[in-house]
């Protein structure tokens, strides 16, 4: 049974990744609702617009759905974390609490370097997907360090062995462990999970719950 929202727990905004929908975060939504948070599982048309346009659409909509009191936390998957960083680069959130990013391409992805100019890639991933390379002018790298309480979970297993051949070092099939990191983060954890399914993984969800409560990950889980 889902717990009644507890005003003292605050709200959690969920942001899914590229070419996904809010359904991808349903298992996370239920777990955090069971913990008493007000959960806003925000969808957005990830393949239709640039990252800045998506952030300008999704974040104000989600924030308007939050209670007027209490902290506002975030849990993001993949590009959802880049939308949050983009929004916070031009806006302040006085009630911003803790954030957990799952598999975020915080320093871009070599997959985009290799395939970003390929027409089929752009058809599938849209303008935002093409913005996430590793060159100095890529959007994630231009965003710089973070200044909020952030924990990052990176995956070290893959089901996309073709894309993994483009990624130097341990990776989740879309982004390397190293490129999930960003200056200013508070904690970083590597788990044996894959990029497409990490947000549904039981261990990942437990770590998210622990971080939202304590501000750190639990390496004994």
């Amino acid at each position: 049974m889902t717990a009644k929202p507890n005003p003292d727990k605050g709200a959690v905004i969920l942001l899914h990744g590229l070419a996904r929908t809010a359904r991808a975060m349903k298992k996370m939504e239920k777990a955090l609702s069971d913990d008493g948070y007000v959960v806003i599982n925000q969808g957005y048309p990830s393949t239709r617009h640039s990252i800045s346009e998506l952030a300008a659409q999704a974040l104000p909509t989600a924030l308007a759905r939050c209670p007027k009191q209490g902290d506002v936390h975030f849990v993001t998957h993949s590009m959802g974390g880049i939308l949050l960083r983009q929004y916070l680069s031009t806006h302040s959130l006085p009630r911003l609490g803790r954030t957990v990013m799952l598999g975020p391409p915080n320093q871009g992805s070599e997959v985009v370097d290799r395939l970003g100019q390929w027409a089929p890639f752009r058809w599938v991933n849209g303008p935002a997907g093409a913005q996430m390379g590793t060159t100095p002018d890529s959007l994630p790298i231009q965003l710089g360090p973070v200044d909020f309480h952030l924990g990052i979970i990176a995956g070290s297993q893959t089901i996309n062995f073709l894309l993994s051949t483009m990624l130097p070092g341990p990776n989740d099939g879309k982004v390397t462990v190293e490129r999930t990191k960003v200056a200013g983060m508070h904690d970083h954890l590597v788990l044996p999970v894959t990029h497409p399914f990490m947000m549904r993984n039981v261990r990942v969800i437990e770590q998210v719950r622990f971080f939202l409560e304590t501000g750190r990950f639990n390496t004994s889980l």
Side-chain angles (χ1 to χ4, degrees):
M1 180 180 295
T2 300
K4 294 180 67 174
N6 178 355
D8 294 333
K9 300 279 285 189
V12 182
I13 294 175
L14 307 181
L15 294 173
H16 62 81
L18 180 64
R20 307 299 288 267
T21 70
R23 288 191 297 273
M25 303 294 277
K26 276 292 185 182
K27 190 171 181 179
M28 185 74 70
E29 178 183 3
K30 183 181 186 308
L32 297 179
S33 295
D34 288 347
D35 286 345
Y37 295 101
V38 176
V39 182
I40 294 91
N41 188 359
Q42 182 65 45
Y44 60 95
S46 63
T47 62
R48 297 183 188 175
H49 306 288
S50 69
I51 289 172
S52 60
E53 291 171 318
L54 293 170
Q57 292 175 18
L59 271 297
T61 301
L63 290 166
R65 297 169 62 192
C66 292
K68 300 303 181 184
Q69 73 283 342
D71 288 340
V72 177
H73 309 287
F74 286 86
V75 178
T76 69
H77 175 234
S78 191
M79 193 179 77
I82 308 306
L83 262 64
L84 177 60
R85 288 180 62 200
Q86 168 65 35
Y87 185 82
L88 292 177
S89 72
T90 57
H91 297 78
S92 62
L93 291 181
R95 294 195 288 140
L96 180 60
R98 293 166 176 155
T99 295
V100 181
M101 293 182 180
L102 311 177
N106 277 321
Q107 302 300 321
S109 172
E110 290 84 358
V111 170
V112 179
D113 295 342
R114 293 280 298 274
L115 303 179
Q117 298 303 314
W118 192 40
F121 179 93
R122 289 178 173 266
W123 293 336
V124 171
N125 297 291
Q131 291 182 280
M132 294 190 291
T134 68
T135 58
D137 61 347
S138 78
L139 188 139
I141 291 175
Q142 289 183 338
L143 290 173
V146 300
D147 61 358
F148 52 94
H149 199 111
L150 171 63
I152 295 170
I153 299 177
S156 61
Q157 289 189 349
T158 182
I159 56 173
N160 195 323
F161 296 100
L162 177 60
L163 294 187
S164 287
T165 64
M166 305 176 190
L167 297 167
N171 65 84
D172 62 8
K174 294 292 182 67
V175 62
T176 63
V177 168
E178 193 62 27
R179 287 194 175 275
T180 64
K181 299 175 181 178
V182 65
M185 64 184 180
H186 287 73
D187 206 352
H188 187 274
L189 179 68
V190 181
L191 292 176
V193 293
T194 66
H195 194 88
F197 302 116
M198 62 171 60
M199 78 294 277
R200 299 171 180 165
N201 180 272
V202 172
R203 288 182 66 190
V204 169
I205 291 172
E206 287 306 305
Q207 290 288 352
V208 168
R209 297 167 93 169
F210 193 86
F211 189 93
L212 292 180
E213 287 288 337
T214 68
R216 63 181 180 86
F217 294 122
N218 185 351
T219 55
S220 66
L221 283 179

